[in-house]
Amino acid sequence: MKVISRVTRGIDAKNWDRAAIAAAYDSIAPMFHGLDDELAGKEFLAGSFSIADSALTPDIPCQDELGVGRPEKCPRLRAWVEGLIQRRNN
């Protein structure tokens, strides 16, 4: 997410350069696909909820605001994010 925050930090959301955000997202899309692959057959990254999952949880609101946190082509990642949100809200 640092690559995306470089193009948004200190700038009001209404003035974000969406093309720059999209380009930054494209550079980290392989990471999302890797996470999706890692989640095959698992509810959480290490099998059960662990620090690996909780370390990524704080990024979810920012990713949602940017529109990049739940890639359509990564269904396991999307389900994992939904599970983390539910866990956080309970």
Side-chain angles (χ1 to χ4, degrees):
M1 291 307 296
K2 286 182 182 182
V3 69
I4 293 175
S5 70
R6 285 187 200 124
V7 297
T8 60
R9 185 178 295 129
I11 301 170
D12 189 81
K14 68 180 186 244
N15 295 321
W16 284 346
D17 181 344
R18 293 292 172 179
I21 291 170
Y25 170 77
D26 288 345
S27 74
I28 61 170
M31 178 200 66
F32 285 125
H33 292 285
L35 280 171
D36 193 64
D37 291 343
E38 184 63 35
L39 288 162
K42 298 187 281 190
E43 184 177 2
F44 298 105
L45 289 171
S48 60
F49 186 76
S50 71
I51 191 132
D53 304 288
S54 61
L56 295 173
T57 303
D59 288 337
I60 293 171
C62 179
Q63 293 170 357
D64 283 347
E65 185 177 4
L66 293 167
V68 300
R70 302 180 205 193
E72 292 293 325
K73 294 181 180 179
C74 299
R76 291 179 293 258
L77 179 62
R78 292 175 64 83
W80 174 73
V81 167
E82 290 299 323
L84 292 177
I85 290 169
Q86 289 176 4
R87 184 177 182 87
R88 182 184 66 197
N89 292 337
N90 290 333

